[in-house]
Amino acid sequence: MAAAAANGPNKVEKRAGGIDGPTNPMVTPLLTDLYQFTMAYAYWKAGKHKERAVFDLYFRRNPFGGEYTVFAGLEECIKLIANFRFTEDEIAFIKTSLPSSCEAGFYDYLRGIDCSDVEIHAISEGYVVFPKIPLMRIEGPVAVVQLLETPLVNLINYASLVATNAARHRFVAGKSKLLLEFGLRRAQGPDGGIGASKYCYMGGFDATSNVAAGKLFGIPLRGTHSHAFVSSFMSPDEIIEKSLRSCDGSKVCEDFVSLVQTWAIMLKNCMLSCLAYEVVLVSKQLLYFLMKLNAMSIIEKGGIFGETNQSELAAFVSYALAFPKNFLALVDTYDVMRSGVPNFSAVALALNDLGYKAVGIRLDSGDLAYLSCETRKFFRAIEKEFGIRDFGKTSITASNDLNEETLDALNKQGHEVDAFGIGTHLVTCYAQPALGVVFKLVEINNQPRIKLSEDVSKVSIPCKKRCYRLYGKEGYPLVDLMTGENEPPPKAAERILCRHPFNESKRAYVVPQRVEELMKCFWPGRSDCRGYFRIAFVDYFSD
Ligand SMILES: Nc1ncnc2c1ncn2[C@@H]1O[C@H](COP(=O)(O)OP(=O)(O)OP(=O)(O)O)[C@@H](O)[C@H]1O
Ligand SMILES: O=P(O)(O)OC[C@H]1O[C@H](OP(=O)(O)OP(=O)(O)O)[C@H](O)[C@@H]1O
Ligand SMILES: O=C(O)c1cccnc1
Ligand SMILES: [Mg+2]
């Protein structure tokens, strides 16, 4: 199951008609293709518009060359259905968009439309799903359901794609890493940005930088600072208000800047003496000259014992004065190991004197495996040298065009990153831009319907169906099974023959330990409506 699905479904009850509209106010009955209206008119003209139709919404292939998909977007679909009514303004626009020969009675018909005759069964949001199995079954008057095709496919397509992308990033990064979605600036417009934040959280990310998504959905917000903040400073002299009260409030350090500078000098001296000590040790093993050469090259190359950038130090001190309890510094504006990390450490040590614990650093360029390992060594050396508990565990965040492949490469090389900030590749779904969700008629007036195709993968599977997930002894799912609506359901401990829908040679007997019906009713239509609807939302955002 998806990481978020592990939280378990959280059922909420809503009053009929009291369901909020879609998050994006652009999601209206007009957010559909013109041909849905022309077909609706032709159904109406032919007197067919009330015929009871069943459509399946599904996809044909898992995205990103993968083996699974995370189903997302259902809540927004229900919000659309619950509020599906045309305004006079919208009807007037449709009138101008259809040929003038269309009869006035059709617009009266549109005026009366809502989704009280529509029934929606669906798999719960956040579930792992597979090709060809209906994610949603939409049943209702053919003309109404036809109008729903485009917005429903639209609401599921990107949501499921990006949730899957997020789940795949989570899988590669591992459970213990913090995953931060940083994609708003690179997303496909405002809706892409809001959707990415919502569905990346559903797919297993921990937080977003997107403030609007934090407000709308209660997703935890996280962030660091940018290079602009660092490069906006010139020198520590710019800092006017230099005092900082200790964490417990018991004392005030009047000149925090000087305290940081003292630590910067101590760090430099200490590291030089550590290096000298190592050189003496090595000389005893008759490798003195070789190591001396090597040590000199470290001094020149690594340079962590030389001068750090003072404007960067000023930026870090200012940030620490503003956020002493949440100090996190971007260390790659000038030079990570020569300047950023020692400057961060000097500020963190000064904060430590006042009882604060610095959060960590962010790396945003260069070889992230190497730099994270070097930084960790540096933090551990400080912990050891100054006896500062857990300094070696100071958090390292990495960003910069990360994607599944770079995360995998970092794992293979070995790294010390605790948190990844991921934007562009995640939210734009760079590796695959669309899921290819389709919406196909499978039954009308209780008669099955099929769409044939030269391409066997495009042949639709007719009939109103039920779908089951069969679980094995260890509690893992074995197979998803589709049956006709009125066929007897599979039963636990009873052997059942499962066949691939198109490949006769793929078949297997399965004895399930447990059977789960996958599609549940999320919108019962008028038949079950007695003032209240029970809507079984998987609500990720309520706790
Ligand atoms: N150890 C690593 N293994 C694999 N990929 C890495 C590793 N470290 C960083 N990367 C990735 O390599 C790319 C780094 O690109 P590149 O070196 O061109 O830019 P940069 O480090 O941002 O440098 P600059 O910003 O100075 O141009 C990023 O996509 C980053 O995620
Ligand atoms: O790299 P992404 O996965 O999209 O993550 C978000 C990026 O956005 C920010 O910088 P921005 O890209 O705006 O500037 P930069 O490339 O110069 O760092 C941030 O520093 C990250 O690098
Ligand atoms: O908070 C951050 O560090 C951040 C936010 C968005 C994009 N890049 C970085
Ligand atoms: Mg960038």
Side-chain angles (χ1 to χ4, degrees), residues 63 80 82 155 174 183 214-215 255 283 355 448 452 459 508:
L80 166 71
L155 289 168
K215 179 169 187 296
D255 190 350
S283 76
L452 296 175
V459 174

Side-chain angles (χ1 to χ4, degrees), residues 279-495:
V279 172
V280 172
L281 272 184
V282 172
S283 76
K284 284 181 183 160
Q285 295 162 37
L286 302 176
L287 284 169
Y288 175 80
F289 286 105
L290 186 62
M291 284 307 290
K292 189 174 176 200
L293 272 178
N294 193 21
M296 289 316 292
S297 82
I298 291 171
I299 291 173
E300 274 147 27
K301 208 160 42 100
I304 50 177
F305 318 109
E307 288 304 317
T308 63
N309 186 300
Q310 291 304 293
S311 59
E312 181 185 62
L313 189 63
F316 290 179
V317 170
S318 291
Y319 210 65
L321 285 169
F323 301 106
K325 290 185 179 168
N326 301 290
F327 175 56
L328 194 152
L330 176 60
V331 294
D332 72 330
T333 306
Y334 301 110
D335 189 304
V336 173
M337 296 314 297
R338 284 176 207 228
S339 186
V341 170
N343 274 342
F344 163 81
S345 302
V347 178
L349 288 163
L351 283 173
N352 178 71
D353 284 347
L354 300 176
Y356 297 103
K357 185 168 165 21
V359 175
I361 61 143
R362 174 161 76 99
L363 298 166
D364 190 42
S365 58
D367 182 334
L368 299 170
Y370 171 78
L371 289 171
S372 66
C373 292
E374 288 301 301
T375 304
R376 181 68 68 212
K377 275 191 222 159
F378 194 82
F379 288 161
R380 287 194 183 125
I382 289 177
E383 173 168 341
K384 203 165 156 217
E385 192 57 33
F386 300 106
I388 294 169
R389 215 167 132 236
D390 288 343
F391 200 91
K393 293 187 185 140
T394 300
S395 164
I396 301 175
T397 300
S399 54
N400 186 23
D401 277 332
L402 294 171
N403 57 27
E404 260 189 88
E405 281 74 39
T406 46
L407 294 182
D408 187 46
L410 292 176
N411 287 344
K412 287 186 174 132
Q413 292 160 55
H415 67 84
E416 286 289 341
V417 177
D418 303 293
F420 291 103
I422 314 181
T424 312
H425 284 266
L426 175 69
V427 306
T428 64
C429 295
Y430 206 88
Q432 180 178 326
L435 177 58
V437 173
V438 294
F439 191 85
K440 297 293 165 195
L441 182 70
V442 294
E443 200 172 286
I444 191 154
N445 292 334
N446 297 316
Q447 295 300 311
R449 286 292 185 271
I450 190 168
K451 181 205 172 274
L452 296 175
S453 169
E454 296 278 304
D455 176 352
V456 73
S457 72
K458 285 198 161 192
V459 174
S460 66
I461 302 175
C463 298
K464 189 168 169 180
K465 309 167 187 73
R466 287 179 184 270
C467 302
Y468 303 92
R469 184 156 289 175
L470 309 187
Y471 292 81
K473 282 202 188 79
E474 276 80 36
Y476 293 114
L478 299 173
V479 70
D480 284 358
L481 184 68
M482 278 185 269
T483 68
E485 214 224 346
N486 298 317
E487 282 184 70
K491 290 199 181 76
E494 271 184 24
R495 192 172 84 146

Side-chain angles (χ1 to χ4, degrees), residues 135-156:
L135 309 176
M136 293 173 74
R137 186 180 79 209
I138 302 97
E139 185 175 353
V142 65
V144 177
V145 181
Q146 193 75 71
L147 290 171
L148 293 173
E149 170 178 359
T150 311
L152 294 185
V153 171
N154 175 282
L155 289 168
I156 297 299

Side-chain angles (χ1 to χ4, degrees), residues 34-52:
L34 178 65
Y35 82 164
Q36 313 293 12
F37 282 109
T38 52
M39 284 188 279
Y41 180 75
Y43 286 133
W44 178 83
K45 182 85 176 123
K48 269 175 74 76
H49 54 294
K50 290 188 179 159
E51 289 184 6
R52 195 110 185 129

